[in-house]
């Protein structure tokens, strides 16, 4: 699927992280990439993050109730015909046709992409008025959904006293649209919104984009630095001079103490390496995608001799940082220095989810070694992912 007559430059200039935009069915041919029964099946599987939100509570001001999966198949037959929503996270990891929905939005850098959450709602179902801390494209599948969009919210916005859901206490809609199959609603971070299914069989595909907070960056970066620090790297003050008042912390001591911290935090090269690994870490790092049998170089050459293309694992994250003499490729929390043909291959692998092997790649030992490592990590495969 491709977006037609969509001005990427105008969108990034006028809407991205600024204001919502309704895009009426821009696809060259729209069809739902997933059936409701398949979504329900995923919600029943161990290791798949899923939620069920029902609006059957006794409190009229807080009717939303939350359950976490995995669910028994019988749970769905117990539901009423109205006012419930099933949400399944990272469906792109399991369904290649859903993963393909990300491709038209690759004008946003890879490291910003989070996942594709898919929701199914019965008539009147929704998760309540809320706001997110990330950008999202809400693509309407089957059915219809009424979207209400409000003003900007932040950590000071009042929330309802709900134990499980962050719902806005005050929500005033400034715009309202009804999305039909193929329509896209873009919502920037912090913008209040509320979606309500109009009729049954309402499917919505939410492509979310990560935005690390300052506190996350500082906290995780500092944790990484601490792991490599030595206990004997301590403050020292040779040629100390006596002070008139021993209670004073003098400026030169503060300067040395501050430098002990900032010298490490200001190491841009070390930060770049850390961030590449941090941002490419899989959403669910405990899931093991490695093949049952590691691939040797002889087997690899046999595969590639048949002109077999390389496919990225939909759950893997690929990005790179360009350096003066090489490229640092980051895949699933690992880093790979690449030069020459391996650097060209790394760029191709980050740009597209399928790479066809060129002759110069096949003749490069470094490319072959890189492919072998990535295959044995489960980050790439030679088998085309099966579509639903």
């Amino acid at each position: 699927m491709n977006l037609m007559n969509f001005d990427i430059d105008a969108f990034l200039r006028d809407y991205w992280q600024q204001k919502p935009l309704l895009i009426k069915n821009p696809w060259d041919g729209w069809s739902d990439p997933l059936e409701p029964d398949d979504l329900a099946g995923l919600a029943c599987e161990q290791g798949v993050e899923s939620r069920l939100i029902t609006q059957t509570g006794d409190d009229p001001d807080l009717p939303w109730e939350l359950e976490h999966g995995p669910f028994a198949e019988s749970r769905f037959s117990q539901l009423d015909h109205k006012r419930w929503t099933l949400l399944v996270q990272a469906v792109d990891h399991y369904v290649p046709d859903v993963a393909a929905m990300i491709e038209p939005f690759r004008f946003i850098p890879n490291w910003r992409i989070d996942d594709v959450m898919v929701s199914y709602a019965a008539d009147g179902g929704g998760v309540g008025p809320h706001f997110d801390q990330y950008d999202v494209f809400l693509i309407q599948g089957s059915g219809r959904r009424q979207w209400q969009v409000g003003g900007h919210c932040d950590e000071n916005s009042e929330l309802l006293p709900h134990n499980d859901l962050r719902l806005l206490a005050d929500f005033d809609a400034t715009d309202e649209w009804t999305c039909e199959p193929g329509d896209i609603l873009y919502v920037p971070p912090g913008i209040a919104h509320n979606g309500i299914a109009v009729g049954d069989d309402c499917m919505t595909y939410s492509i979310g984009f990560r935005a690390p907070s300052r506190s996350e960056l500082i906290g995780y970066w500092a944790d990484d630095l601490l792991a490599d620090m030595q206990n004997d790297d301590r403050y020292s003050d040779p040629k100390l001079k006596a002070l008139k008042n021993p209670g004073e912390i003098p400026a030169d001591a503060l300067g040395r103490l501050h430098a002990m911290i900032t010298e490490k935090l200001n190491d841009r090269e070390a930060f770049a390496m850390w961030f590449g690994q941090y941002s490419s870490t899989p959403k669910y790092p405990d899931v093991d995608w490695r093949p049952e049998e590691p691939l040797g170089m002889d087997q690899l050459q046999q595969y590639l001799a048949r002109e077999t293309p390389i496919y990225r694992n939909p759950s893997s994250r690929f990005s790179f940082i360009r350096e003066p003499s090489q490229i640092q490729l980051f895949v699933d929390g690992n880093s790979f220095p690449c030069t020459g043909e391996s650097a060209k291959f790394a760029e191709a692998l980050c740009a597209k989810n399928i790479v066809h092997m060129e002759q110069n790649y096949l003749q490069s030992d470094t490319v072959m070694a890189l492919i072998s490592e990535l295959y044995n990590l489960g980050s790439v495969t030679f088998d085309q992912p099966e579509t639903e």
Side-chain angles (χ1 to χ4, degrees):
M1 295 184 291
N2 296 302
L3 298 176
M4 304 293 290
N5 301 317
F6 179 68
D7 190 331
I8 292 173
D9 292 334
F11 170 78
L12 293 175
R13 182 187 65 237
D14 299 332
Y15 293 95
W16 177 252
Q17 298 213 319
Q18 298 171 63
K19 56 185 177 181
L21 175 66
L22 175 66
I23 309 166
K24 294 297 291 182
N25 195 338
W27 306 96
D28 56 359
W30 170 259
S31 62
D32 255 287
L34 187 66
E35 293 294 329
D37 286 346
D38 295 324
L39 184 69
L42 279 174
C44 297
E45 293 186 13
Q46 291 285 344
V48 176
E49 185 181 352
S50 59
R51 294 167 289 162
L52 179 65
I53 298 177
T54 54
Q55 295 168 249
T56 57
D58 297 329
D59 186 345
D61 295 323
L62 285 172
W64 296 274
E65 295 181 358
L66 174 66
E67 302 172 49
H68 290 279
F71 300 100
E73 291 184 19
S74 58
R75 180 66 184 97
F76 300 110
S77 63
Q78 299 166 358
L79 294 168
D80 294 332
H81 295 295
K82 292 185 177 182
R83 295 164 63 85
W84 61 268
T85 302
L86 173 67
L87 305 105
V88 182
Q89 210 73 42
V91 177
D92 52 306
H93 291 192
Y94 310 100
V95 183
D97 282 348
V98 173
M101 298 179 71
I102 299 174
E103 296 308 308
F105 301 96
R106 292 284 183 187
F107 55 86
I108 308 299
N110 287 354
W111 72 267
R112 291 279 265 116
I113 295 170
D114 190 7
D115 69 350
V116 183
M117 182 186 74
V118 183
S119 68
Y120 174 90
D123 187 25
V127 302
H130 65 284
F131 70 97
D132 301 308
Q133 297 288 5
Y134 51 81
D135 302 86
V136 62
F137 290 95
L138 299 159
I139 304 171
Q140 186 61 33
S142 61
R144 296 188 300 159
R145 187 181 288 273
Q146 181 188 57
W147 284 105
Q148 299 170 321
V149 175
H152 190 272
C153 302
D154 57 29
E155 60 185 14
N156 298 314
S157 300
E158 185 180 358
L159 302 178
L160 292 172
H162 198 290
N163 292 331
D164 302 307
L165 299 171
R166 292 176 53 83
L167 303 176
L168 291 167
D170 297 308
F171 176 69
D172 295 315
T174 56
D175 289 290
E176 188 172 303
W177 302 283
T178 298
C179 285
E180 299 180 333
D183 291 349
I184 305 173
L185 177 63
Y186 164 71
V187 182
I191 296 297
H193 54 287
N194 184 33
I196 303 170
V198 181
D200 291 326
D201 298 326
C202 176
M203 295 273 285
T204 303
Y205 302 84
S206 304
I207 302 179
F209 293 84
R210 300 177 295 165
S213 68
R214 191 191 304 267
S215 62
E216 288 173 339
L217 290 175
I218 293 174
Y220 288 117
W221 171 221
D223 285 344
D224 190 77
L225 289 174
L226 288 172
D228 294 329
M229 289 185 183
Q230 304 298 318
N231 285 333
D232 58 0
D233 183 11
R234 293 179 176 272
Y235 173 81
S236 63
D237 49 6
K239 299 182 180 179
L240 179 66
K241 295 181 180 180
L243 297 173
K244 292 181 179 179
N245 187 332
E248 179 183 2
I249 304 175
D252 60 342
L254 284 173
R256 287 195 295 272
L257 290 163
H258 188 246
M260 290 179 70
I261 298 173
T262 56
E263 283 173 4
K264 290 292 186 180
L265 292 177
N266 285 336
D267 188 337
R268 191 181 185 282
E269 291 184 7
F271 176 80
M273 284 293 296
W274 167 80
F275 184 74
Q277 294 172 320
Y278 167 75
S279 63
S280 66
T281 299
K283 186 177 179 71
Y284 301 105
D286 293 336
V287 178
D288 188 356
W289 294 97
R290 291 176 298 178
E292 293 183 4
E293 295 291 336
L295 183 73
M297 291 302 293
D298 290 342
Q299 292 172 294
L300 172 61
Q301 290 172 351
Q302 290 175 15
Y303 269 117
L304 298 179
R306 300 195 295 266
E307 299 184 351
T308 304
I310 306 292
Y311 297 91
R312 290 193 322 216
N313 183 338
S315 70
S316 294
R317 289 171 168 164
F318 290 75
S319 58
F320 70 88
I321 292 176
R322 198 181 305 279
E323 297 176 347
S325 60
Q326 65 180 8
I327 277 177
Q328 283 288 348
L329 172 67
F330 300 98
V331 183
D332 293 336
N334 301 286
S335 63
F336 306 91
C338 301
T339 59
E341 292 301 330
S342 65
K344 294 177 183 177
F345 176 76
E347 289 192 57
L349 199 56
C350 288
K352 298 179 180 179
N353 59 2
I354 304 173
V355 176
H356 294 275
M357 296 301 294
E358 300 175 3
Q359 194 63 35
N360 51 321
Y361 295 154
L362 297 173
Q363 296 173 348
S364 169
D365 292 340
T366 56
V367 172
M368 293 296 102
L370 178 59
I371 294 172
S372 178
E373 283 193 80
L374 294 176
Y375 179 88
N376 290 330
L377 287 170
S379 303
V380 301
T381 182
F382 303 111
D383 300 316
Q384 183 172 9
E386 295 181 3
T387 57
E388 293 288 330

